[in-house]
Amino acid sequence: MLKKQKIILAILAILTLFAAPGAWADGNAKLRLAPANVDVSAGGERIESRGTLMNSEGEEVEYYALNDVSGQDLPEGLNLSFDHKSIFVSAAAECPANTYHFSIAAFNENGSQLCDAVEFNVTVASSVTDIYNLTLTPASVDVSAGGEVLNIDSALTKNGAEETNYALRLSSGQSLPAGLELSCSGQSISVSAAAECPADTYTISIEAVNEEDMLLGSPVSLTVTVISSTKPSIALDNTAMQLSVGSSGTLTATVTDPSGLPHVVRFSITDGGSYVTIVDNGDGSCKVNGIVAGTATVRATVYGYDDVYADCRVTVASVTPPGPIDPPAPEPVKPTIGNVSDEVKAEIKPEMAANETNVASAAEKIGGALTSGDLTLNGDGKVTAASAVAVNIVANMGTLNSVTSKDVVALPVFSTQASPDDTGKTVMIAYRVLGSDLKKTNPADVKVLKILGANSGELFSYTNAITTDMDKKFTIQADDDTGTIYSGEINANVYYRLVLFIKDGGAFDLDRRTDGAVADPSVILGTDAKNNGGGSSGGCNAGLGALALLAIALLPALYKKKR
């Protein structure tokens, strides 16, 4: 009897096994995944999704395992594993950020598919936060009320690389003033202002978004300055300026605008650009320099209004050329190094020369190279080397044609202040010199003699560029504060700047110390290098031959007279 009961219980257990919900699926069941969409972070934790199989009556039925039936290869770094009724998903750090789609179905132990496949979506988020950088070109614009439309371009980078899939829009919460019109079209912006738009400066926030309208990076600012539709007016304090060659004057502009807005003034030369130069002071005024005799027009224009301007007619008159006996003395001026590299600026020290007015003191400062008797005072009361010293040195050099005192233009003897920070640097000294005192028409032909003693000297070498190696060199600049090296023909009636370079402690530094200071006596010479060709020898021989013939011709006469 007991055995019979055990058989009955076994049969009931088997029937229970196949009864719902523990019954095996019949092939018409539906699979549900929870969750059906999984978000994972690259390099992050593993996520599980479980599957439930339901029959047509909505009852859970048994199955053996889940598997992917999409047939696609997994992207690099994405891990998708199955453990019977569970799916485990993870992504390595290098897995590309994207959304991946799979088809999942349930199977029995024999590998037979028990249901239709369902979609399983895996979204991988990058482990690196993307860095976007938006730029606008230009980021600041001026528009005239009632004027033309201005266009602004943009560029977007993602982690330093160019990004092209984006569009621009106004940041949320932006409100524009009445009459200011701004529209974003793709990756560009157009800006205009109606006539009634208030004149003011507006800051507008612009942002970049992707196709899903997601913000890409931080917004950037666009500055729009609206200029009143009422035009300003401009006037100059002088409409007819008189200058002489080498002199300067100042023009000052006044701008009036009913709206009260400030304006920028720009100066230009509309004609006669070879007669004058201008330096814009940046404060509504400009310096006008007379260069060559003639007439020029200097124009002041209100920036943004090309038709709002005022003109000044500048007449430059010639100066009286200096006489050969008492020319105007060269005058030390503050040197300008001009547009050179930082390396050159570190080596060259522009220095305003201090004039010497005491002969004995000057002789001491130049290290005893010259005595008080070798120095003199010019008409301005400044110490210079005596012309006779230069005449003597030229004769001793033997490489130049001889000179007289009238061929010598003595530069004022100078000294500079010692500075430990400038030890060993090359000192730059400038003189304002009339073209006639340079004695030549070609800058490269000018002769500048460095006096090294009462009987010795050496010429500076000409250069047309300022470099790090400038010791014992000179150049000639335009007579303004730009540092522009002059390259044209020297005009006798025009002022220039003669610039000398002497290395502290070098052979041309007569204070005999490396202390950041130099002392210098120099002169300009009106001479040329000697011609040492063979012509002089032939001339000498011809002269001796003529004398010999003359002697022979005289012999008969002398003979007759003797008889």
Side-chain angles (χ1 to χ4, degrees):
M1 182 67 179
L2 180 60
K3 183 177 181 180
K4 187 175 181 180
Q5 288 177 342
K6 289 181 178 180
I7 293 172
I8 294 172
L9 288 173
I11 293 172
L12 289 173
I14 293 172
L15 291 174
T16 302
L17 179 66
F18 286 96
W24 287 87
D26 57 4
N28 295 318
K30 293 183 177 180
L31 178 63
R32 296 177 182 174
L33 297 177
N37 300 301
V38 174
D39 295 336
V40 294
S41 298
E45 63 181 358
R46 189 171 70 160
I47 305 297
E48 179 185 7
S49 177
R50 288 188 59 83
T52 302
L53 199 61
M54 311 294 293
N55 61 22
S56 58
E57 296 179 359
E59 299 171 329
E60 182 179 347
V61 294
E62 289 294 327
Y63 68 96
Y64 179 70
L66 300 174
N67 210 341
D68 176 29
V69 296
S70 63
Q72 64 176 314
D73 294 330
L74 293 178
E76 181 181 2
L78 181 61
N79 300 309
L80 196 70
S81 60
F82 298 89
D83 184 7
H84 293 288
K85 299 179 181 180
S86 293
I87 307 172
F88 293 96
V89 183
S90 64
E94 68 272 13
C95 183
N98 207 341
T99 298
Y100 303 95
H101 308 282
F102 301 95
S103 296
I104 306 298
F107 293 83
N108 61 20
E109 288 182 313
N110 297 325
S112 298
Q113 185 171 327
L114 302 177
C115 62
D116 293 334
V118 296
E119 186 171 310
F120 180 58
N121 300 315
V122 177
T123 299
V124 178
S126 173
S127 60
V128 179
T129 302
D130 292 324
I131 299 176
Y132 291 91
N133 184 36
L134 175 64
T135 56
L136 302 177
T137 305
S140 178
V141 294
D142 296 341
V143 295
S144 298
E148 62 182 358
V149 177
L150 299 181
N151 293 316
I152 300 166
D153 296 323
S154 70
L156 181 69
T157 59
K158 176 183 177 182
N159 302 325
E162 182 182 4
E163 180 72 15
T164 59
N165 187 22
Y166 73 96
L168 299 178
R169 72 180 183 190
L170 287 175
S171 298
S172 59
Q174 285 283 294
S175 59
L176 300 178
L180 181 61
E181 299 171 0
L182 186 147
S183 63
C184 299
S185 177
Q187 299 172 2
S188 63
I189 305 170
S190 61
V191 182
S192 62
E196 68 274 11
C197 183
D200 206 343
T201 297
Y202 304 94
T203 301
I204 301 166
S205 182
I206 304 294
E207 59 191 22
V209 294
N210 60 16
E211 293 179 347
E212 287 76 31
D213 210 32
M214 294 177 58
L215 181 64
L216 303 178
S218 302
V220 297
S221 295
L222 171 64
T223 302
V224 179
T225 299
V226 179
I227 302 172
S228 172
S229 58
T230 303
K231 288 185 179 181
S233 60
I234 188 171
L236 287 170
D237 62 343
N238 195 346
T239 58
M241 178 180 288
Q242 302 291 326
L243 296 176
S244 60
V245 173
S247 67
S248 302
T250 300
L251 282 176
T252 301
T254 301
V255 180
T256 303
D257 190 334
S259 67
L261 283 177
H263 292 277
V264 175
V265 177
R266 295 284 186 255
F267 290 92
S268 61
I269 303 173
T270 58
D271 65 79
S274 60
Y275 305 123
V276 300
T277 62
I278 60 173
V279 179
D280 194 330
N281 297 323
D283 58 358
S285 68
C286 83
K287 179 181 178 181
V288 184
N289 304 304
I291 303 300
V292 180
T295 304
T297 300
V298 177
R299 174 168 293 180
T301 305
V302 178
Y303 177 70
Y305 297 90
D306 292 341
D307 57 345
V308 180
Y309 59 86
D311 289 340
C312 175
R313 198 67 174 162
V314 181
T315 301
V316 182
S318 298
V319 297
T320 303
I325 298 175
D326 189 22
E331 179 71 20
V333 294
K334 185 175 181 180
T336 304
I337 196 167
N339 185 19
V340 297
S341 67
D342 291 339
E343 181 184 13
V344 174
K345 291 178 181 178
E347 171 62 24
I348 306 299
K349 173 192 176 186
E351 186 79 5
M352 180 68 184
N355 290 315
E356 296 297 327
T357 57
N358 182 281
V359 171
S361 174
E364 181 181 352
K365 288 184 178 179
I366 58 178
L370 298 176
T371 67
S372 297
D374 298 321
L375 301 173
T376 187
L377 294 176
N378 66 13
D380 296 332
K382 296 169 185 174
V383 178
T384 67
S387 298
V389 173
V391 172
N392 181 53
I393 293 173
V394 171
N396 290 336
M397 290 173 65
T399 57
L400 298 173
N401 292 326
S402 61
V403 296
T404 63
S405 295
K406 69 177 183 179
D407 301 315
V408 178
V409 177
L411 301 174
V413 173
F414 72 84
S415 61
T416 64
Q417 292 293 325
S419 170
D421 294 336
D422 297 319
T423 299
K425 291 186 178 181
T426 299
V427 178
M428 176 184 184
I429 303 295
Y431 292 94
R432 188 169 187 257
V433 181
L434 194 61
S436 58
D437 283 343
L438 294 172
K439 303 294 186 180
K440 301 291 180 181
T441 57
N442 181 6
D445 294 335
V446 174
K447 300 291 187 295
V448 184
L449 175 68
K450 171 69 182 191
I451 296 177
L452 301 175
N455 298 298
S456 62
E458 184 179 336
L459 291 178
F460 284 86
S461 299
Y462 172 75
T463 180
N464 60 3
I466 299 178
T467 63
T468 54
D469 180 21
M470 293 297 291
D471 187 29
K472 301 184 181 182
K473 296 180 181 178
F474 80 94
T475 192
I476 296 174
Q477 295 179 342
D479 185 31
D480 54 36
D481 295 326
T482 64
T484 303
I485 293 179
Y486 184 76
S487 59
E489 184 175 297
I490 295 174
N491 187 321
N493 301 325
V494 173
Y495 281 95
Y496 302 90
R497 294 191 182 181
L498 175 64
V499 186
L500 309 182
F501 297 88
I502 301 172
K503 188 173 181 65
D504 176 37
F508 275 16
D509 181 10
L510 296 191
D511 69 3
R512 309 304 184 192
R513 294 185 299 273
T514 305
D515 57 357
V518 299
D520 174 71
S522 299
V523 298
I524 304 170
L525 298 174
T527 186
D528 295 299
K530 281 187 175 180
N531 181 3
N532 293 321
S536 60
S537 175
C540 180
N541 291 338
L544 288 175
L547 289 173
L549 290 173
L550 178 62
I552 293 171
L554 290 173
L555 282 175
L558 292 173
Y559 178 74
K560 289 179 181 179
K561 185 175 182 181
K562 186 176 181 180
R563 289 184 64 185

